Amino acid sequence: MEQYLLATQKMEQEVMFPSLLRGVFPQQEGAAPAAGGRTDLYERYQLLKAIKPMVEKGLASVTDQNQTGAEADTALDEGSDSNLEERLSHHVNGLQQVLTDLTKNTKALTRRYSQILEQMSLSEYQSSS
């Protein structure tokens, strides 16, 4: 989780003009494919920024909402307790994979933004020469 938060912090510091990412699609290196078709880097940037507070806070708000339902289901079978460790391990592994994917996406977006700025800087230098 720490790597994701550091990558997101770096992205927020470097991406000063997110609108430069409009119409730019991710390169295949390390970027996970988008779920609902191709999204440009601007949409991906917005998504990554929207996800960050939830990761920072953990799932406390979701847990609070579900607690009323959980309190109603306080009677657990003893057989389900033996499965808790396996279920927890499965969910922790899933969370770790999601955070790894988010980190890769964040780093790829930041790299691509830096490339865009370099190209802009290079073209300005060449036009002024």
Side-chain angles (χ1 to χ4, degrees):
M1 184 174 347
E2 200 171 307
Q3 289 179 359
Y4 166 71
L5 294 175
L6 289 172
T8 305
Q9 183 179 17
K10 182 178 179 182
M11 177 188 74
E12 290 175 337
Q13 289 172 346
E14 288 192 26
V15 179
M16 301 301 289
F17 305 103
S19 61
L20 293 175
L21 299 169
R22 287 185 191 270
V24 178
F25 294 93
Q27 297 171 336
Q28 298 304 332
E29 51 151 325
R38 288 180 53 91
T39 57
D40 66 9
L41 290 180
Y42 180 78
E43 292 173 42
R44 192 164 288 197
Y45 172 81
Q46 294 297 336
L47 177 66
L48 291 168
K49 280 194 60 120
I51 291 171
K52 183 184 176 197
M54 185 171 39
V55 172
E56 286 177 327
K57 292 178 188 173
L59 298 176
S61 61
V62 174
T63 303
D64 290 343
Q65 291 173 358
N66 291 334
Q67 217 165 24
T68 55
E71 290 170 0
D73 290 337
T74 54
L76 292 174
D77 295 333
E78 286 186 27
S80 67
D81 285 341
S82 63
N83 199 18
L84 288 176
E85 186 177 342
E86 183 180 322
R87 289 175 34 211
L88 176 63
S89 176
H90 172 76
H91 288 291
V92 168
N93 288 336
L95 177 59
Q96 187 175 21
Q97 184 60 47
V98 168
L99 288 172
T100 299
D101 291 346
L102 287 172
T103 302
K104 286 179 183 177
N105 276 289
T106 303
K107 288 179 177 180
L109 186 144
T110 305
R111 265 193 315 275
R112 185 66 177 117
Y113 180 81
S114 294
Q115 291 171 351
I116 291 169
L117 287 182
E118 287 174 15
Q119 290 171 349
M120 290 175 60
S121 178
L122 214 104
S123 65
E124 285 181 17
Y125 174 76
Q126 289 175 348
S127 67
S128 65
S129 299

